[in-house]
Amino acid sequence: PQTIVWDTGSSASKTYGDVAFAIAGHAEDLSATATNLPITFASSDESVCTVAVAELPSSGVYYATVTITGAGTCNVTATQAGDDDYAPTTSTALTYTVARAAQASLSIDSASSVTFGNSLALVGTGGSSTSALTWGTTSGPCTVSGTGTTGALAPTGVGNCVVTLDRAGDNDYLDATQTTQTVTIGKRSQSITFTSSVPLAPDAGNSYNAEFASSLGSSYIPSLQVTSGDGTVCSATDNADGTAAITFIASGTCTLTASQSGDSTTNAA
């Protein structure tokens, strides 16, 4: 009979991504004399590790290279097929328990501020697993959507919104460590314009209908005040609908000012 002795190698814990390593063994008889017969190597699960034979030194020791191919458990054995003088034999197994690896860091590469009323494009990178990047939010006045390297933030108010980026693990990788980015959502601006024409040379007693509007539309109706000449040159009656009745009283300068007070998401104008 003969047995196989491991010259190099032992059962061990590994992590997916570890570098390949060498093992070696030889066949010997009961007197511990090398039989110099060829050894073949095998893996019980090549999705976890593979074994490739390297060289045969003159001492009869066979070398092989073990390459980690995935997480799990594989058993590596060496076999000698026997000949006219020696019976076949198989070694004890070298067991490699391969843990899932940590993923590469995640990163959000997007602007850190946006104005209410606009959306913000989100760009994410990183991770190592076959799972897709996923977007979300943990707090703040916004909604976040998207899967993969791009997402979108839609403000629902003004304040700070915390965006999250994740990547789930798979057979070979652990879940990635979540990364976050705080996006500041600011108030939007508006502008007020007069849409009616001012009379060129009105006489006392004449009147006209002033019209004015916000750039944000009918949800933001401006109000009108006489800021110069009120009661002496002209008077105004605001109709609260974006119009005002102007009456001219006497010669002089009449200045009309339209304004809108804004709200929680919009600046005054």
Side-chain angles (χ1 to χ4, degrees), residues 111-125:
S112 59
S113 63
V114 66
T115 301
F116 181 81
N118 296 319
S119 62
L120 177 66
L122 303 171
V123 178
T125 57

Side-chain angles (χ1 to χ4, degrees), residues 4-256:
I4 294 177
V5 176
W6 291 110
D7 297 279
T8 302
S10 61
S11 297
S13 295
K14 298 288 183 179
T15 300
Y16 179 67
D18 283 354
V19 297
F21 54 95
I23 58 174
H26 70 276
E28 62 181 37
D29 60 21
L30 294 180
S31 65
T33 300
T35 63
N36 292 320
L37 296 175
I39 291 175
T40 58
F41 299 88
S43 166
S44 64
D45 188 346
E46 292 194 340
S47 69
V48 178
C49 70
T50 59
V51 188
V53 173
E55 60 180 316
L56 170 62
S58 59
S59 61
V61 177
Y62 280 77
Y63 288 85
T65 300
V66 179
T67 301
I68 301 299
T69 56
T73 299
C74 66
N75 295 312
V76 174
T77 53
T79 299
Q80 207 299 304
D83 63 5
D84 292 341
D85 298 319
Y86 295 100
T89 187
T90 298
S91 69
T92 57
L94 302 180
T95 299
Y96 298 104
T97 302
V98 182
R100 293 191 295 168
Q103 295 195 50
S105 298
L106 304 180
S107 174
I108 299 175
D109 305 309
S110 305
S112 59
S113 63
V114 66
T115 301
F116 181 81
N118 296 319
S119 62
L120 177 66
L122 303 171
V123 178
T125 57
S128 312
S129 75
T130 55
S131 302
L133 292 165
T134 56
W135 297 91
T137 178
T138 56
S139 64
C142 69
T143 60
V144 174
S145 60
T147 300
T149 58
T150 58
L153 180 151
T156 58
V158 170
N160 289 330
C161 176
V162 179
V163 178
T164 61
L165 182 63
D166 293 275
R167 191 165 201 159
D170 57 16
N171 290 336
D172 298 324
Y173 289 97
L174 301 166
D175 291 348
T177 300
Q178 183 184 83
T179 191
T180 63
Q181 178 175 322
T182 299
V183 176
T184 300
I185 303 168
K187 287 186 176 184
R188 61 183 171 180
S189 298
Q190 61 175 323
S191 60
I192 309 299
T193 56
F194 281 91
T195 58
S196 57
S197 299
V198 178
L200 293 177
D203 295 324
N206 289 165
S207 63
Y208 94 104
N209 199 49
E211 298 176 356
F212 38 89
S214 166
S215 58
L216 298 179
S218 59
S219 295
Y220 293 83
I221 297 175
S223 59
L224 183 136
Q225 299 83 32
V226 179
T227 53
S228 172
D230 186 24
T232 58
V233 179
C234 64
S235 64
T237 301
D238 193 331
N239 298 319
D241 62 356
T243 67
I246 310 301
T247 300
F248 297 100
I249 301 171
S251 61
T253 299
C254 174
T255 303
L256 305 178

